[in-house]
Amino acid sequence: MRGYAYVWAFRVAEARRAEFERVYGPDGPWVALFAQADGYLGTSLLADRAQAGRYLTIDRWRDEAAHEAFRARFAERYAALDRACEGLAEHEQTLGHYDLV
């Protein structure tokens, strides 16, 4: 499958992990928002086995243009959800843009 992925890394305190997994997991509000956009292929939430509280999200899109169109169309809702999620993670960092090969 070809496509585009956007990857984030998070560090989450033990007390917030269940809530973080609910919000960023397959039935959470991020996936619900992304799923409204054309070209969204899915999100994977990965929990690091070696470092408790370290997570990755991999958001997959048909192509980068589909992701950019989503960000433009849903900018206000994205920003509102991002604000609502502040404090769930102690640290978050984008790991970049990737091609699905």
Side-chain angles (χ1 to χ4, degrees):
M1 170 198 292
R2 294 278 180 195
Y4 166 81
Y6 196 72
V7 182
W8 285 86
F10 301 87
R11 190 174 54 247
V12 182
E14 185 174 358
R16 306 298 301 266
R17 289 181 195 153
E19 182 181 7
F20 178 87
E21 290 176 7
R22 181 187 62 75
V23 170
Y24 286 85
D27 298 318
W30 282 110
V31 169
L33 178 61
F34 296 157
Q36 296 176 51
D38 184 46
Y40 173 68
L41 301 177
T43 294
S44 297
L45 174 61
L46 308 174
D48 192 321
R49 290 178 157 191
Q51 293 182 17
R54 183 170 185 264
Y55 294 88
L56 297 177
T57 58
I58 304 171
D59 303 321
R60 295 177 315 282
W61 297 84
R62 179 183 59 234
D63 52 36
E64 188 171 6
H67 179 252
E68 293 301 319
F70 158 77
R71 290 295 304 261
R73 180 175 174 205
F74 293 93
E76 288 183 27
R77 292 175 63 191
Y78 185 100
L81 183 54
D82 193 46
R83 284 190 303 274
C85 293
E86 283 182 17
L88 280 179
E90 297 174 326
H91 177 75
E92 65 182 75
Q93 172 186 4
T94 180
L95 297 182
H97 308 258
Y98 296 84
D99 292 320
L100 300 176
V101 294

